[in-house]
Amino acid sequence: MNLWWKSAADFWAMGGAGYFVWMSYGALLLAVVIELIGLALRRRRALAAIEEERELEAEN
Amino acid sequence: MNWFYYASPATFYGLAGRLAPYFFLLAAVLTGWGLYLGMLVAPTDAQQGEVYRVIYIHVPAAWMSMFLYFIMACYGALTLIFNTRLSGMMARAIAPTGAMFTFIALWTGAFWGKPTWGAYWVWDARLTSELVLLFLYFGFIALANAFEDPRRGDRAAALLAVIGVVNLPIIYFSVKWWNTLHQGASVSFKGTSMHVTMFTAMLVMSAAAWMYAIAVTLVRVRSIILERERRAQWVREAVKA
Amino acid sequence: MNGNATAASGSFAGAIAWSVSRDLRLALRHPDETLLTVAFFALVASLFPLAIGPEPQLLARIGPGIIWVAALLAAFLALPSLFAGDYADGTLEQMVLSPHPSFGWALGKALGHWLVTGLPLVILSPLIGLQFGLPPDALLVQALSLALGTPLLSLLGGACAALSLGARGGGTLLAVLALPLFVPVLIFGSGATEAQATGIPPEAHLSLLAAGLLLALVAVPFAIVAALKIAVD
């Protein structure tokens, strides 16, 4: 399969529509990164809550 | 195979943990392949120029936003009919990802619309229904979290999702009706004929979005299970420090 | 009052009549809420000319839409209290757990809400329409579309009010739940008057509204009952 673009600069320019294309793809990337960070934080909080619970029980 | 075996949060927690990495891997591979085809190999669109390449994320995001709401409502129906605990947690785990895809569909629609229609926002039937869908997701998330008792939130939000899924076609029909009556934007996103590579790339990207949604849902439902069952003995054993 | 419930709600029609008459009696004892709803409706509709300017052509153009949005917000005002009283004093639990037809009872609650908040708006709407300079035939279509559409708002809103019983966030949450579901009603309702004003027959809009109302009358009370069962569980 041949590549469509003649040069990397061509690719980034997107035929003059670079701003609109990369703003779209950038937003998706940002949203995915935010979601994955949120997932990691949520898991960490859940584990911390379990630890807390365990310590509370150990004290009693 | 006993289907109800995996309907118990304790067993599903382990299963989800084992499956999630594979779905993440599949999502990454498919995204790479889809972007290679769509962004590097596929030719330009004769009518729209290069900006059409937003289609590879806009259309999958729009599809996912609707599929995920439908699947959420199916889990809601399970919650209401069988009163299973896991289905309520699954619906909650799907909602944020569904809202994310809805937002992406709106955002990319706006950045596609600007060069195509000359405006970031046009009251196009599809964009407007997508906006209403975003509010439906917000309503679901807000209602699920609005109760002291999480099971109560599960069931109320489940009923809301079922009401919403019955209403979605009516909302779409009404918005389309309103749109044709006011002769709003009539520019169609679909080109007259789609190049085979374009179509393949779009399908691959849609598959990637599916795999990503499944992976993220599995990871999120694991956290939800831990939050709910943090006093249960099996949780203590599963997450031994 | 509870003895009354057992006596009158044995049949389907009895259940409707009982809950309507009970809510109406309560509303008549405290007419402030109805009057406030009507005042709110007129006030919101009057704000738009003040904000946009008194140009007659512009007002006649946007009048139908504004009246419908005002009706939507006004119908929404009384929703948080629709089931709150019955929830607090335990009547709700009795109604849901009793063997009497809860479908009729839920339908009666929505009907009661409409009689207290929707019907006054239907009656008042021609006056507001005059403020916007709508022609007489458009005023008639406006009132007709409100008469078909506001019961739909009461039913859908009733389901959302039942869902959010006892939830944190109160009225704001209810707005986020209910307003997206109101979108089709708003589109067909204001579309009817607008069509009439621009010389298109409004029958298609009105018959779609009527079809939606019939569908909702059969389906939504089930959703209300299901939501109330979740609430008292």
Side-chain angles (χ1 to χ4, degrees), chain A residues 3-5 11 14 17 19-20 22-25 27-28 35 39 42-43 47 50 53-54 57, chain B residues 13 39-40 43-44 50 53 56-57 97 100 107 111 114 212 220 223-224 227 230-231 235-236 239:
Chain A
L3 295 192
W4 174 254
W5 308 97
F11 171 70
M14 279 283 151
Y19 172 72
F20 302 106
W22 299 123
M23 279 300 274
S24 299
Y25 279 84
L28 177 67
E35 183 165 40
L39 277 181
R42 187 165 185 177
R43 176 157 175 89
L47 291 176
I50 293 168
E53 200 87 17
R54 208 189 308 231
E57 243 165 60
Chain B
Y13 179 83
M39 299 302 278
L40 296 177
T44 191
E50 304 296 354
R53 287 180 202 274
Y56 301 120
I57 50 176
T97 304
M100 188 275 270
W107 178 275
F111 274 88
K114 178 64 180 166
Y212 172 80
R220 191 177 285 117
S223 293
I224 294 174
E227 287 161 13
R230 61 176 183 275
R231 290 186 184 85
V235 169
R236 301 286 162 87
V239 295

